[in-house]
């Protein structure tokens, strides 16, 4: 799929303030600093349409983008950032959880995990919660440019094995780098396929 147009629409604190749920929607979620906003910029080939930062906690709201005038892409706040106050951490997870559970037009939630690290408990707990709620998701491994090929492959294999202790089948997975553009075509093709297949 070609990205012909990408337009930032609005930021919201709650799912019920978001645009009318009348188009296919795809959201990007994961731990703070995992690379959600960078990945969105890479997919859209726009340098700072989504705001990024080296400091975790940059994205704090639900940010909607309209792509090709046809579907929504959403940049979500991160979870699990230890250095912000506990009450704020709770607030983040409520924003994310309510959005994820109640947003009617959400077709697929892309859960980003850092390819450099072992599976983290809060990621695994979040995936388990998605499973309980029956929310469709895919996994995106980020920052793979920071790893040697053999380490990257081993980490991803380890991740799959960890998931298979809880899940019978593996979700769709994408291996990416926002630096090199790795994974861009695969993710955009997947979205294009779902745009055609999923009716609501
Ligand atoms: P929050 O909004 O705070 O939750 O973070 P985020 O998940 O949106 O992360 P963001 O895209 O802001 O990136 C965090 C940091 O990681 C920035 O310094 C990025 O430049 C860096 N980064 C993100 N993706 C990649 C990648 O694929 N490769 C490399 N080398 N660095 C990356
Ligand atoms: Mg962000």
């Amino acid at each position: 799929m070609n990205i012909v147009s990408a337009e930032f629409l609005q930021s919201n604190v709650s799912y019920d303030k978001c645009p009318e749920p009348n188009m296919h929607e795809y959201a990007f979620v994961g731990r703070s600093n995992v690379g959600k906003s960078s990945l969105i910029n890479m997919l859209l080939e726009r340098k700072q349409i989504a705001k990024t930062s080296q400091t975790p906690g940059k994205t704090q709201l639900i940010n909607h983008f309209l792509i090709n005038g046809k579907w929504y892409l959403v940049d979500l706040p991160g979870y699990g950032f230890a250095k912000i106050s506990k009450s704020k951490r709770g607030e983040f997870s409520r924003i994310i959880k309510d959005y994820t559970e109640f947003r009617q037009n959400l077709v697929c939630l892309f859960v980003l995990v850092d390819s450099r690290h072992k599976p983290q408990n809060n990621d695994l707990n979040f995936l388990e919660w998605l499973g309980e709620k029956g929310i469709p998701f895919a996994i995106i491994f980020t920052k793979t440019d920071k790893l040697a090929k053999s380490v990257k492959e081993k980490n991803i294999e380890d991740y799959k094995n960890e998931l298979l202790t809880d899940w019978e089948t593996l979700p769709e997975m994408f291996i990416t780098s926002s630096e090199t553009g790795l994974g861009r075509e695969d993710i955009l093709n997947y979205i294009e396929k779902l745009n055609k297949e999923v009716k609501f």
Side-chain angles (χ1 to χ4, degrees), residues 33-38 53-54 57-59 143 145-146 178:
N33 216 42
V34 70
K36 300 174 291 295
S37 303
S38 303
S53 168
Q54 289 178 10
K58 176 71 180 172
T59 312
K143 305 192 186 184
D145 57 284
K146 292 188 180 230
S178 299

Side-chain angles (χ1 to χ4, degrees), residues 83-101:
K83 282 190 187 143
I84 55 171
S85 70
K86 246 196 175 154
S87 59
K88 207 124 195 239
R89 253 186 280 162
E91 187 185 318
F92 278 6
S93 55
R94 195 171 57 246
I95 292 178
I96 297 165
K97 282 191 162 177
D98 283 356
Y99 167 83
T100 309
E101 190 172 355

